[in-house]
Amino acid sequence: MLVEAASGLAVELDHRVRLPGRTEDRFDLFLPGPDLLIDLDPAWTHNQPDGLKRDTAKAQAARAAGLVFVRIRARGLPAIPLPWTTHFEAGPGLDPEDWARAVGSVLRGRGLPWKELAPPEVATALMKGSQLWQQAVAAPATSALAAAPHLEAEFVANLTNPGVGLARMAPGCNDLCTWKCQEVDCGHEWDVPVYTRALAGRGCRKCGYKRMATKKRRPTPGTSLGDVNREMASELVEVIGHPDWTAFDLLPNANQDCLWKCPDPRCGEVYPAPLNRRTGQSSGCPTCARKRSTAGRIRPKPGQALVDRHEVIASELVEVIGEPTWMAADLRPSSTLPCRWRCRKPGCHGRWEATPDQRTRRGGTGKQCPVCKPPRRSRSRPTTTA
């Protein structure tokens, strides 16, 4: 510590202060005796497009907070454009003795002690400074890696200080780093400071959005599908993607894809459908729906049924084969559904099968009772011989 050895004053490295309206600021040197803050601005870290703007804002914030703050800038860097600042220079380069002499100029200007060091004193001070720097900055007492070991697998790179890893950063370090999610179905990469991960405990944003969406999809007590629609809940087979979920884990309007089983014992088909389609559109088994649609297309319009157009024929209907609940009012005269008929004439026991279309042909004189009206035999013309 050249400054400490030459001035005899206590010096703190990497002093941190939270100024009003800003995040935590770091000052390279702090001398508690004269209450003096000093920043050292080498060209390799401050010769950036926004470097001057950032350094000026920090100087203004320090002055507004009533702090005594001095900047020593590398030769060639533009001066801080503030009228009340004094421009001190060192370098170019990173020679510690050159920068120490610049600090000496600041201290002497304020009437503080300063002496020239002999070569052995310089060597001793540099060794001590190197050790303190490693302890205070390069290797903190508690590293981000020690505070949050799980971050090691997700750490990709340090964007602020390339090459500096988690073991050399404190948990509260504001270095911007790149991270990669280790979830199998994610792999998202994002850039955030170390302290947001090691102290705030934040993780992958994409996974966070998924968890939040899943949480919003979960119902509160009494609002689940199993509570408000038990009949539909009894048809649920599985929630696709969440095999451990039940009807009590779903909101009635959730868009979650599910497997359902038709409750009709004659069907029992298992089919996929989103829950909100079933509750919002009152949809059900697609196979049964197609059957109902087909049945609707073959049903007659009002006044056009078999019983309306051919009352006598309708009176002989026994049943519609395959549709035991249908009656003559459910059939069109041109229907091709097979039916069973019984002769209405007293004393006749004729029974036969025919479609309504076969019966209503030729003005209602189509296929009739085979007992009362047996089919005519074809008359073949006699052959003539020469």
Side-chain angles (χ1 to χ4, degrees):
M1 305 254 344
L2 292 175
V3 174
E4 190 175 72
S7 66
L9 300 173
V11 179
E12 293 183 13
L13 293 176
D14 195 37
H15 185 71
R16 304 190 181 199
V17 179
R18 185 177 293 276
L19 300 176
R22 293 171 59 88
T23 58
E24 187 177 66
D25 283 296
R26 302 166 66 173
F27 297 88
D28 296 325
L29 304 177
F30 174 57
L31 283 67
D35 196 22
L36 176 62
L37 293 166
I38 301 177
D39 256 358
L40 309 177
D41 300 347
W44 71 282
T45 56
H46 290 261
N47 190 19
Q48 299 173 0
D50 60 341
L52 182 61
K53 181 179 178 181
R54 183 175 61 249
D55 294 339
T56 302
K58 184 176 179 181
Q60 290 175 323
R63 180 180 176 85
L67 302 178
V68 181
F69 174 51
V70 175
R71 278 191 176 277
I72 302 175
R73 296 174 66 77
R75 289 184 177 87
L77 289 180
I80 301 297
L82 297 174
W84 39 265
T85 59
T86 303
H87 189 63
F88 294 93
E89 290 186 336
L94 299 176
D95 182 6
E97 295 185 59
D98 188 20
W99 287 88
R101 283 192 291 269
V103 174
S105 299
V106 174
L107 298 183
R108 283 194 298 266
R110 294 177 175 273
L112 297 173
W114 185 267
K115 69 174 184 177
E116 295 298 329
L117 299 177
E121 292 177 311
V122 171
T124 302
L126 289 177
M127 182 176 296
K128 182 180 178 181
S130 177
Q131 293 172 351
L132 289 176
W133 181 260
Q134 291 296 324
Q135 293 174 4
V137 179
T142 302
S143 67
L145 181 60
H150 65 282
L151 297 181
E152 183 178 13
E154 299 182 352
F155 178 76
V156 178
N158 187 328
L159 302 180
T160 304
N161 293 300
V164 178
L166 294 174
R168 296 177 58 192
M169 290 185 285
C173 180
N174 60 1
D175 283 4
L176 187 67
C177 298
T178 300
W179 312 85
K180 183 175 182 179
C181 182
Q182 297 300 302
E183 292 293 332
V184 177
D185 57 344
C186 184
H188 173 61
E189 289 192 7
W190 73 105
D191 301 333
V192 291
V194 173
Y195 69 86
T196 65
R197 307 272 351 250
L199 295 183
R202 298 173 186 170
C204 174
R205 294 177 182 176
K206 290 187 65 176
C207 293
Y209 295 151
K210 290 180 182 179
R211 286 191 295 269
M212 183 60 68
T214 300
K215 184 178 180 180
K216 289 182 177 179
R217 289 201 302 262
R218 304 304 283 270
T220 56
T223 62
S224 68
L225 177 67
D227 295 313
V228 302
N229 196 333
R230 296 187 177 181
E231 181 180 355
M232 184 178 295
S234 66
E235 301 176 20
L236 180 65
V237 176
E238 179 184 344
V239 181
I240 299 175
H242 299 277
D244 56 328
W245 284 18
T246 66
F248 294 95
D249 298 308
L250 293 170
L251 284 167
N253 61 345
N255 61 352
Q256 196 70 40
D257 290 329
C258 303
L259 291 179
W260 310 87
K261 184 175 181 180
C262 179
D264 191 338
R266 296 172 299 178
C267 180
E269 179 182 356
V270 176
Y271 59 95
L275 174 56
N276 59 354
R277 182 186 300 173
R278 295 219 54 200
T279 56
Q281 303 178 13
S282 301
S283 64
C285 173
T287 300
C288 294
R290 285 192 291 270
K291 289 181 180 179
R292 289 191 297 270
S293 178
T294 302
R297 288 195 297 271
I298 64 178
R299 295 293 179 91
K301 297 179 180 179
Q304 300 296 317
L306 178 66
V307 69
D308 300 318
R309 302 283 299 276
H310 300 275
E311 185 176 355
V312 174
I313 294 178
S315 66
E316 296 181 334
L317 179 66
V318 177
E319 68 171 327
V320 180
I321 299 175
E323 300 291 345
T325 60
W326 285 25
M327 298 181 295
D330 302 310
L331 292 171
R332 294 182 301 172
S334 60
S335 173
T336 57
L337 293 177
C339 302
R340 291 189 177 93
W341 311 85
R342 179 176 57 198
C343 184
R344 60 188 293 270
K345 291 183 179 180
C348 182
H349 302 289
R351 291 175 178 268
W352 72 102
E353 293 183 5
T355 66
D357 177 64
Q358 291 173 328
R359 295 234 44 204
T360 56
R361 291 175 185 174
R362 298 186 297 275
T365 61
K367 193 172 183 179
Q368 302 183 42
C369 173
V371 177
C372 299
K373 300 284 185 176
R376 292 181 298 175
R377 295 179 180 178
S378 62
R379 298 177 180 179
S380 59
R381 294 180 180 183
T383 57
T384 58
T385 57

